Amino acid sequence: GNYAEAEPFYREILERERKHERIQYGAESHSTARCLEGLAWILHARGRHDEAESALREAVAILKTRWDGFDRNALSDYQGIQVRLVELLSVEGKHDEAEAILRTILEQDKKLAAESNRNWAVEHRSAPLGPMDSYVVRSLNLLARELWR
């Protein structure tokens, strides 16, 4: 791909999203975080790993403010960006930090799954195993993959 040509477009989109979200919501939000994620991968592809990491960390910080501890969609967005950061950290050989992030994600998923599964079991009069367990399995898989690297 033509990363050098794509970068200015991402930067312009990012600038416009920041302005829009600050006016609309008073702070940066989901769209700004997604723009930062896109810019990060362009920067990574161009060998500018420190800038890419910084962009992903900013995206994580933005989305962390959106997650209230209960909303699965907001958590999914937040964790998705965290996983992208883990991928970048892993490529850079920063495995300890990548592992720590994945362990945090796993704990978040276990907590949410336990809560959700209790409600699922009551509603469906079934064993306490519900739809949230797939998130725990995903987190376990990501952590296991990072640990064998």
Side-chain angles (χ1 to χ4, degrees), residues 31-100:
S31 294
T32 297
R34 289 294 175 198
C35 290
L36 283 162
E37 178 187 21
L39 177 62
W41 288 114
I42 294 292
L43 295 168
H44 175 67
R46 297 189 70 198
R48 292 161 52 197
H49 306 293
D50 290 343
E51 290 177 73
E53 185 180 328
S54 178
L56 284 173
R57 287 185 189 282
E58 184 179 352
V60 165
I62 289 168
L63 290 178
K64 184 177 184 178
T65 63
R66 291 186 62 233
W67 181 54
D68 61 7
F70 300 101
D71 181 354
R72 179 70 234 180
N73 292 328
L75 178 61
S76 186
D77 289 343
Y78 173 51
Q79 288 180 341
I81 297 285
Q82 285 181 303
V83 169
R84 301 298 173 272
L85 178 58
V86 163
E87 291 168 357
L88 182 65
L89 292 170
S90 194
V91 166
E92 294 177 341
K94 298 178 180 179
H95 299 290
D96 290 344
E97 187 176 358
E99 178 186 340

